[in-house]
Amino acid sequence: KPVTTKRVVSSNLTWVDAGSSVSSAYTKDGLRKQATEHAKLRNKFFQQATEAYLRGDGALAKTMSQKGRSHDVEMKRLHAIASERIHRERQSYTGNDATVLDLHGQHISEAITRAHRRSGATREVTLITGAGKHSIIAPGHSLGRRTLREALRGWLQRTQGRGRFYELKGDAAGSFVVSV
């Protein structure tokens, strides 16, 4: 059965705080910022590894590549810790309801992983992504950055085609229900 989209006039979903509270959760422990610094160092070392390899200096290329991988591991570790902390805090706004998943503050890959796990545990789950008003989208960005909402919707259409997709309106705008 293909994914269908319907507009639901109302829901029993309570309004969840977003905006500054999401920003606060995202930045409060500094883990996301630290992870970003490791990403920059990773990129720098991988670039140096490439340059050394192109010059024919295999030993230096290997050393720089190892340093880059080390920073990549640390970046992923910090993002995973931050993701879990943000998730626990955001879920408290939902009363820890197992059928509601607040994905504010999650990166796209983190949100998809959480949505995948949750959709396997229940027949219907409400995903709260927000409307994308606070997303930073780089115009003309080569990676084609999308809002969390758009990315999850695309993932659902590609992988969860057997279910139904209900977009909520009113107080629950920026949320949708996935029925599998």
Side-chain angles (χ1 to χ4, degrees):
K1 214 175 198 184
V3 174
T4 57
T5 303
K6 294 183 178 180
R7 292 243 176 236
V8 178
V9 175
S10 64
S11 78
N12 59 353
L13 182 64
T14 58
W15 183 82
V16 294
D17 195 21
S20 63
S21 75
V22 173
S23 180
S24 173
Y26 193 88
T27 60
K28 90 168 154 187
D29 56 15
L31 292 174
R32 294 287 196 189
K33 185 175 182 181
Q34 290 175 41
T36 299
E37 292 305 315
H38 281 284
K40 289 176 184 176
L41 289 168
R42 173 202 60 191
N43 295 347
K44 179 182 107 178
F45 284 119
F46 283 157
Q47 180 64 38
Q48 290 175 354
T50 300
E51 291 167 359
Y53 177 79
L54 293 174
R55 285 192 314 268
D57 190 345
L60 181 60
K62 182 177 179 179
T63 300
M64 294 297 108
S65 181
Q66 288 170 336
K67 288 181 179 185
R69 282 193 300 274
S70 172
H71 284 286
D72 187 61
V73 167
E74 185 62 7
M75 175 202 69
K76 289 175 180 173
R77 185 185 77 79
L78 291 169
H79 274 313
I81 293 168
S83 173
E84 184 57 32
R85 287 181 182 170
I86 292 167
H87 170 69
R88 278 195 316 267
E89 182 176 326
R90 297 302 304 171
Q91 280 307 108
S92 69
Y93 287 107
T94 70
N96 293 309
D97 183 340
T99 64
V100 177
L101 183 58
D102 185 346
L103 297 169
H104 281 100
Q106 300 295 309
H107 292 178
I108 289 172
S109 61
E110 297 163 348
I112 288 173
T113 298
R114 289 187 188 286
H116 179 71
R117 276 192 234 136
R118 187 66 61 93
S119 68
T122 181
R123 287 200 45 79
E124 190 169 273
V125 62
T126 300
L127 304 176
I128 304 172
T129 62
K133 294 178 183 175
H134 305 285
S135 295
I136 300 170
I137 307 297
H141 195 275
S142 62
L143 296 178
R145 289 182 52 157
R146 301 174 290 171
T147 65
L148 181 57
R149 183 170 179 249
E150 292 168 338
L152 275 165
R153 189 172 181 169
W155 169 76
L156 287 165
Q157 290 171 335
R158 284 189 311 280
T159 64
Q160 304 293 314
R162 66 190 186 281
R164 289 207 159 121
F165 173 98
Y166 301 95
E167 192 161 336
L168 304 179
K169 291 171 69 174
D171 287 343
S175 305
F176 47 89
V177 176
V178 179
S179 178
V180 291

